[in-house]
Every structure is written in structure tokens, then in C-alpha cells.
Amino acid sequence: MLAGRYPELQGKVALVTGAGRDLGIGAAICRRLASEGCRVVVTDVPSTSATASLSPAEAVSDDVDKVVAGIKAEGGAALGLACDVLAEGDIEAAVAASVESFGSLDILVNNAGIGFLMSPLTETSADDWDKVLGVNLRGAFLATKHAARRMIEQASGGRIINIASQAAKSGFPFAAGYCSSKHGMVGLTRVSAIELGQHDITVNAICPGFVETDLLKDAAKKFGIEFPELVEGMIKPRVAIQRAIQPEEVAHLAVYLASGESEGMTGQSIVLDGGMIY
């Protein structure tokens, strides 16, 4: 196994949702956990059907395969699964496959999310609202529910880490669904922490600000600007460190929350935004 900073993570099994983008937060978390000796289950919706509900036995996206291959090339252990977090059966199957492949489930990272379906509140469709709330909040609820059941059954504790957003702490215009879903994730984090603490399961959320991912770059293009323009026009004027957060920085915090050093921390929503000015 790989030797990392946190020896207690050696051999632990981590399931990460929405981790199929090679330049995304989920993939960075998978790589960082693997570098600590965790056995990582990399999941995402297959690229062949962004809206289909597929079981983990069906086609896995090319990006998931790429993330898994990269981890294995570095000497880590990883499994790629197709998983639509909107489908409870997919979540149940992913948890079962994690245990079948690696023997346990110790860490869950609820990273799957969508955003940037931006429109004025008065023009936001119910379909867009349901889509964002579904993936971002319902998906996290379902994964937490089934992962927690397994962790309780194992009786060895666990860690659940929710990737929320700075939008869980404040409001942004034209993002009613996104902000509501991330505020809801903070509520889910608090309730889950209260209920699961007796089982030595901690639940915390990370609230990143602007993170330099391909999703953010694609969103900038939808508004007719390139990423450097976004940095100059929106990030530098509002962020104290005058740059975007890197996916690896989110991953470092996620690994800390998975480690023994954070065992007294639960129910918290930690902002990682470079010092955004409100």
C-alpha cells in the first residue's frame, strides 16, 4: 500500500460520488485518498447517458476509467462504477459493490452535484429546480442513508463528507435551486451528525468557493467569457487570495476530515473560499 500522512487511513474503503471528471473535485479527492492507502470506489453517471438510471454493472464512463487507471498507475487500489445518485437502487448497488470488492465501507464523499442552470427566480422552471435539488440534495441523502446503514452494521465507525459550496452560506442571484440545494446539504450534514454520532460516524461538509474545474470553465464559456476573464473580473475583486481554489486543496481538507485527526469534529460546514468578500 501507499504510505501517506495518515496511517490510520491505510486499507480504508472510500466511496466517492460524481468523481468521473478527471479535472474535477471528486477525482482529486479520489487520488488524494488513494495516496493515503485508501481503496477508492470512483462513481459517476456514465457519459453514454447523462440522465439515465444505470446500475453499477452497466457501462462506466471513459472519465471514470481514466481516474481509476491513474490511481492504479500510482500503485493505488480503485474500482470504477456507474452510479446515478438519483436512483436509490444504484446507490444500494454501489455500496454493496464496495463491500464485495474491498470488504467494508468506511468513508463516503457526497460530491455529485450540478449547478449553473441559472435563471431569474421568476423564470426558473420546475424541471430545472427538481433537477438541481434532486442531484445535489436527494442524491446526498440517499448515499448517506445507505452508507450509514452499512457503517452501523460494521460497528467500526465511519466518515461522511459532503461537498457543499460557499453558496450554502450566502445567496447568489439567478441560482435559487443551487443555493437552496447547498443550504439543504448543510442541514442534512447537521441532522446526520446528530443521529449518527452515537455510532462513531462523523458527518461534515466542505463549502468551497470558486474552484478551478472544467465545470467552472464551461460555465464561464456559457456566459461568453474565458476562464482568465472570470478570474480578472469576478474572482480577484471578491477573493482575498485573488485566485481560484484548486481541486487538490479541497481534497486535502476532505482527507483531513476522513482522518483520525478530525475525530472530534462533526456537524460542521467548513468554508474553503480563499477569503471571499461579501
Side-chain angles (χ1 to χ4, degrees):
M1 291 185 180
L2 299 175
R5 174 177 176 178
Y6 302 107
E8 70 272 21
L9 291 179
Q10 287 280 336
K12 297 290 187 181
V13 179
L15 170 63
V16 184
T17 67
R21 286 180 174 267
D22 190 47
L23 300 178
I25 292 172
I29 292 172
C30 288
R31 287 189 285 264
R32 185 69 179 81
L33 285 167
S35 75
E36 293 290 339
C38 289
R39 294 169 289 178
V40 182
V41 182
V42 184
T43 76
D44 212 329
V45 178
S47 59
T48 52
S49 178
T51 58
S53 177
L54 300 177
S55 73
E58 295 181 76
V60 178
S61 72
D62 293 338
D63 284 346
V64 167
D65 286 341
K66 184 176 181 180
V67 175
V68 169
I71 290 171
K72 290 182 176 180
E74 294 295 323
L79 171 69
L81 297 176
C83 179
D84 182 349
V85 297
L86 289 175
E88 189 164 9
D90 281 18
I91 295 293
E92 290 182 278
V95 170
S98 302
V99 175
E100 182 179 353
S101 297
F102 295 127
S104 66
L105 178 59
D106 309 293
I107 300 161
L108 167 69
V109 182
N110 281 312
N111 174 72
I114 58 173
F116 306 116
L117 297 177
M118 302 183 74
S119 60
L121 174 66
T122 54
E123 297 177 20
T124 299
S125 70
D127 284 345
D128 279 355
W129 172 273
D130 289 344
K131 186 180 297 183
V132 175
L133 268 290
V135 174
N136 293 1
L137 189 54
R138 183 176 186 267
F141 154 68
L142 290 174
T144 297
K145 169 184 172 180
H146 289 286
R149 283 181 174 178
R150 177 62 198 181
M151 292 174 184
I152 292 169
E153 181 181 334
Q154 291 171 176
S156 56
R159 298 284 189 269
I160 298 174
I161 301 158
N162 295 324
I163 306 302
S165 170
Q166 199 277 336
K169 301 287 188 174
S170 61
F172 292 93
F174 313 123
Y178 187 76
C179 289
S180 297
S181 70
K182 294 302 185 178
H183 275 70
M185 184 175 272
V186 168
L188 176 64
T189 298
R190 290 170 175 161
V191 172
S192 302
I194 292 168
E195 292 194 22
L196 300 176
Q198 63 183 306
H199 302 289
D200 194 27
I201 300 170
T202 65
V203 188
N204 292 287
I206 300 173
C207 300
F210 294 105
V211 182
E212 189 175 351
T213 64
D214 53 348
L215 279 175
L216 182 58
K217 293 176 181 178
D218 288 345
K221 289 180 180 179
K222 288 180 182 178
F223 291 97
I225 61 175
E226 295 297 324
F227 185 70
E229 295 176 80
L230 181 69
V231 172
E232 291 296 325
M234 183 174 290
I235 295 178
K236 281 189 175 181
R238 298 186 63 192
V239 177
I241 63 174
Q242 298 195 345
R243 65 168 176 83
I245 299 297
Q246 297 302 302
E248 291 75 19
E249 293 175 297
V250 182
H252 293 325
L253 181 51
V255 169
Y256 166 74
L257 292 173
S259 77
E261 289 188 0
S262 68
E263 62 183 8
M265 181 183 295
T266 195
Q268 302 306 303
S269 301
I270 305 163
V271 175
L272 178 62
D273 65 4
M276 288 185 68
I277 301 167
Y278 304 108

